[in-house]
């Protein structure tokens, strides 16, 4: 199973992914947490932030998730995931796939700027590169709606 958590930088993808991961580990599920930022730091560090490099990075992360799923892991992955074709392929690629979209207001994220992404870098998704509405997410969470956030979290855990 692959749980694919997507959204803009600073939307809370890693926070939700880590929360799900910790819960599954606590239940003794064979689980691994893949964070797009970590993959970029340790594996695909030679890739830039152009659309072409982002596409290659996304494909490599998807392939890594498939490898780990084949080894029996539940994979919790937080990634920008701006390519609808990758999201469509994921539905066929993985045995079980749950896509969660954390919807955020870009202006609020720029104001918060928790990862110092929006002012200091080029080719930023949402600012310089379009972030299209994801393809058929199983769950959509409004970042600012904590009640729905907890509801969706509980639904995800019960679905697993």
């Amino acid at each position: 199973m692959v749980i694919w958590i997507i959204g803009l930088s600073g939307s809370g993808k890693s926070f939700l992914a880590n929360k799900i991961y910790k819960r599954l580990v606590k239940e003794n599920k064979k689980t691994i947490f893949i964070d797009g930022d970590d993959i970029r730091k340790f594996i695909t560090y030679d890739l830039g932030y152009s659309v072409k490099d982002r596409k290659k990075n996304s494909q490599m992360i998807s392939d890594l998730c498939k490898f780990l799923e084949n080894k029996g892991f539940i994979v919790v992955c937080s990634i920008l995931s701006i390519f609808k074709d990758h999201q469509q392929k994921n539905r066929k690629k993985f045995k079980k796939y749950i896509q969660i979209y954390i919807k955020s207001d870009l202006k609020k994220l720029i104001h918060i700027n928790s990862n110092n992404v929006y002012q200091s870098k080029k080719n930023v998704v949402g600012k310089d590169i379009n972030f299209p509405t994801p393809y058929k997410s199983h769950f959509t969470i409004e970042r600012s709606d904590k009640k729905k956030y907890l509801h969706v979290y509980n639904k995800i855990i019960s679905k697993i």
Side-chain angles (χ1 to χ4, degrees):
M1 169 188 280
V2 173
I3 302 165
W4 193 260
I5 303 172
I6 61 180
L8 289 167
S9 290
S11 64
K13 300 180 301 293
S14 297
F15 176 81
L16 178 60
N18 198 37
K19 188 173 176 68
I20 293 169
Y21 167 76
K22 285 180 179 178
R23 173 73 182 265
L24 295 174
V25 168
K26 188 176 180 182
E27 294 177 5
N28 293 318
K29 306 258 192 236
K30 189 177 173 183
T31 309
I32 191 162
F33 172 26
I34 302 288
D35 187 287
D37 291 338
D38 289 340
I39 296 299
R40 194 173 269 287
K41 183 177 178 182
F42 296 109
I43 298 173
T44 60
Y45 52 83
D46 58 333
L47 294 176
Y49 292 89
S50 67
V51 172
K52 181 181 175 185
D53 281 354
R54 286 178 180 281
K55 192 162 205 155
K56 187 174 183 179
N57 187 58
S58 176
Q59 185 62 53
M60 291 174 77
I61 291 172
S62 180
D63 291 345
L64 175 61
C65 289
K66 181 61 182 171
F67 171 79
L68 293 166
E69 181 192 47
N70 286 345
K71 297 294 182 187
F73 285 92
I74 297 172
V75 182
V76 182
C77 181
S78 64
I79 180 173
L80 280 166
S81 191
I82 61 173
F83 304 104
K84 287 186 179 189
D85 60 325
H86 287 183
Q87 296 162 16
Q88 291 170 328
K89 289 175 187 174
N90 284 350
R91 285 166 167 66
K92 295 174 187 164
K93 182 181 218 171
F94 302 117
K95 295 171 193 160
K96 190 168 182 185
Y97 176 74
I98 299 173
Q99 181 173 296
I100 304 162
Y101 169 42
I102 302 179
K103 189 175 181 180
S104 306
D105 180 277
L106 178 62
K107 289 179 184 175
K108 288 181 182 176
L109 293 178
I110 289 171
H111 178 72
I112 296 167
N113 200 25
S114 60
N115 297 336
N116 200 27
V117 169
Y118 293 101
Q119 279 84 10
S120 64
K121 295 182 181 170
K122 294 180 182 175
N123 291 327
V124 176
V125 173
K127 187 177 147 202
D128 306 312
I129 297 172
N130 183 40
F131 184 88
T133 302
Y135 176 79
K136 295 185 181 180
S137 294
H138 297 93
F139 299 101
T140 298
I141 303 171
E142 285 283 342
R143 183 181 190 270
S144 58
D145 188 348
K146 298 216 188 271
K147 191 174 185 180
K148 185 169 183 182
Y149 180 93
L150 289 172
H151 175 72
V152 169
Y153 167 77
N154 289 327
K155 279 182 95 172
I156 293 162
I157 295 301
S158 67
K159 195 169 185 170
I160 297 168

